[in-house]
Amino acid sequence: MKTTEEFTKEYLEYLTSRGKSRSTIKNTITTLNVLKKYRYLKEVSIDEVEKMIKGMQDKGNKGQTINFKMERLCQIYNYAINKQYVNINPFDDYTRVNNDDARYRRALTIGEVRKLLGASKGEYRCRWTVHLYTGLRASNVANLRWSWIDFDNNTISIPASEYKTKSNVIFPLHKRLRCELEKYREGNDSELVFLKKSLNAIRKMLRRDCDRAGIDLHGIDLHALRYTFASSLLYGGTKIEVISALLGHKNISTTQKYLNYDKTTLEEGIASLPY
């Protein structure tokens, strides 16, 4: 009989063999930590699931987070059933937690974007500029490397191993972003564009800079900058298909649409940003 520790190792190896992204594997590790106190998977009963949910609520976890973990654990146990490690999935019938507290995000207005960049300095001004002119996910910006930036061809290339959809993605480099990166690069000889910091620390700095700029903090986090990128393109008249391509949606049909746009069309999309 496999122990929970042995199963965890096997399941993570399974995800890796399926080519799952680093963020998916990281989230799965966090989810699997819930099972650490059990020696064997079969020790988790329906009553234990209710205790898990109550424990997460007591720690301040929001409904969205709890439901996400429960759904992932249900998938994990389905795998265990297929492998005949357990006979019952205790997560099949769990009662979903009220999701009214799901995180609200909003796009910044053009005026707020200008205030944010005006109130930010150095590294963080450059970080926010990258977010706002590429729409990249926070993890991609945090891991951005100078070798991915081609100043000769005005592009930023994210390798498939780093991107959520597991495909190579190329972003046209907006002239304002290029200027900011060139200025920030002076005296910076590291491979990583930005100093390695936790996403939580970066979120705090974004809220600090927004507060300094007099921006309402409700609905503001790093992903809100991605919302801002998308909505600003839409208001600027960019076709939704082009926006989808620039955002790098994960489904196959969106990826196929991305491949249909040449470099000039994508450059026009980026250049239409109004801020």
Side-chain angles (χ1 to χ4, degrees):
M1 182 183 297
K2 278 187 181 289
T3 64
T4 301
E5 183 178 352
E6 290 170 337
F7 173 79
T8 295
K9 182 179 179 181
E10 176 186 325
Y11 189 72
L12 293 174
E13 288 174 349
Y14 163 74
L15 291 183
T16 302
S17 70
R18 293 287 301 276
K20 297 299 182 180
S21 68
R22 290 197 305 179
S23 61
T24 296
I25 292 174
K26 183 178 179 180
N27 286 334
T28 302
I29 291 172
T30 301
T31 302
L32 284 166
N33 284 338
V34 176
L35 303 176
K36 274 187 174 180
K37 71 174 186 176
Y38 305 100
R39 182 166 175 76
Y40 299 106
L41 294 179
K42 67 178 183 179
E43 293 176 15
V44 181
S45 63
I46 294 174
D47 287 341
E48 288 297 315
V49 172
E50 293 300 322
K51 289 178 184 177
M52 285 182 197
I53 293 173
K54 180 66 166 57
M56 285 188 275
Q57 288 175 319
D58 291 343
K59 290 180 180 178
N61 283 283
K62 295 186 177 182
Q64 183 183 37
T65 300
I66 295 171
N67 290 331
F68 176 80
K69 285 186 177 181
M70 293 299 107
E71 288 164 5
R72 192 175 288 276
L73 282 165
C74 187
Q75 293 173 358
I76 291 169
Y77 263 74
N78 282 337
Y79 172 88
I81 287 174
N82 289 334
K83 289 290 186 177
Q84 299 184 339
Y85 299 148
V86 294
N87 297 319
I88 298 173
N89 189 337
F91 297 92
D92 267 341
D93 298 317
Y94 86 93
T95 303
R96 290 180 62 84
V97 177
N98 188 308
N99 205 28
D100 290 342
D101 59 0
R103 179 175 293 170
Y104 162 72
R105 294 187 181 100
R106 69 177 180 87
L108 294 170
T109 66
I110 296 172
E112 286 175 329
V113 168
R114 290 171 179 156
K115 286 181 180 178
L116 171 61
L117 296 180
S120 307
K121 297 179 181 179
E123 172 194 344
Y124 290 102
R125 176 183 167 90
C126 192
R127 276 186 189 267
W128 314 148
T129 305
V130 172
H131 278 279
L132 290 163
Y133 284 98
T134 64
L136 279 169
R137 294 176 177 86
S139 59
N140 293 131
V141 175
N143 294 324
L144 190 64
R145 287 161 168 71
W146 290 113
S147 58
W148 299 352
I149 303 173
D150 185 344
F151 288 104
D152 292 331
N153 293 303
N154 281 316
T155 59
I156 297 177
S157 303
I158 309 298
S161 60
E162 297 286 335
Y163 206 67
K164 187 174 182 179
T165 56
K166 309 304 291 183
S167 58
N168 294 308
V169 179
I170 299 176
F171 293 86
L173 191 60
H174 192 284
K175 61 182 180 180
R176 292 193 184 94
L177 175 55
R178 178 193 174 103
C179 179
E180 197 68 39
L181 284 167
E182 287 178 329
K183 181 169 61 176
Y184 177 69
R185 193 180 190 184
E186 294 176 6
N188 187 337
D189 57 0
S190 64
E191 171 57 8
L192 280 173
V193 174
F194 302 114
L195 296 173
K196 198 68 175 175
K197 297 176 182 177
S198 70
L199 290 181
N200 189 48
I202 299 169
R203 288 187 194 101
K204 288 181 179 179
M205 298 310 289
L206 173 62
R207 292 177 68 81
R208 178 207 65 177
D209 284 351
C210 283
D211 190 45
R212 283 179 176 176
I215 297 170
D216 181 3
L217 297 179
H218 184 52
I220 298 299
D221 65 2
L222 290 171
H223 208 67
L225 300 183
R226 184 168 162 86
Y227 279 38
T228 303
F229 173 80
S231 62
S232 297
L233 287 172
L234 183 63
Y235 298 150
T238 303
K239 293 179 181 178
I240 293 178
E241 294 86 353
V242 177
I243 298 172
S244 296
L246 290 167
L247 289 174
H249 288 175
K250 64 182 180 180
N251 62 68
I252 296 174
S253 62
T254 303
T255 304
Q256 289 172 333
K257 290 176 183 178
Y258 171 76
L259 296 174
N260 289 331
Y261 291 99
D262 60 21
K263 183 172 178 283
T264 300
T265 304
L266 294 176
E267 284 175 346
E268 290 172 351
I270 288 285
S272 73
L273 287 168
Y275 41 74

